[in-house]
Amino acid sequence: MIISILGIRGILLNRRNILIMSMPIESMLLAVNLNFLVFSVSLDDMMGQSFASLVPTVAAAESAIGLAIFVITFRVRGTIAVESINCIQG
């Protein structure tokens, strides 16, 4: 629970750089993974442990896609500051 709160707090306090904003998201994924493991052991069920083995795969895919977006944004805009990304129109 504490790791989740720190992750939410990290997103809310660090709104200058997108790369720094992505780090608390990873810590929240870690908190979810720990919750899966703890409840799996306490309930004596293997389903939580199987989900916990899939979470790193999702985290790796999210990191790869996020870094690709960061690189493209930096090439186009010259910065990855959040203020410049707010003006992107769809």
Side-chain angles (χ1 to χ4, degrees):
M1 183 71 180
I2 295 172
I3 299 174
S4 299
I5 293 171
L6 287 175
I8 293 170
R9 186 173 176 216
I11 290 175
L12 294 177
L13 293 180
N14 297 323
R15 291 190 179 185
R16 294 184 189 145
N17 193 345
I18 298 175
L19 191 60
I20 295 174
M21 284 177 65
S22 67
M23 289 181 203
I25 295 171
E26 295 295 326
S27 69
M28 286 191 289
L29 279 172
L30 174 68
V32 169
N33 202 9
L34 285 173
N35 281 331
F36 279 146
L37 290 174
V38 168
F39 284 113
S40 173
V41 169
S42 68
L43 296 174
D44 198 26
D45 186 21
M46 290 295 291
M47 190 61 79
Q49 293 177 12
S50 63
F51 277 130
S53 66
L54 295 176
V55 169
T57 307
V58 173
E62 180 244 338
S63 296
I65 292 171
L67 285 174
I69 292 171
F70 297 154
V71 168
I72 291 170
T73 304
F74 183 76
R75 285 183 183 173
V76 170
R77 302 235 182 239
T79 183
I80 55 172
V82 176
E83 293 85 20
S84 67
I85 294 176
N86 284 337
C87 63
I88 294 176
Q89 297 293 321

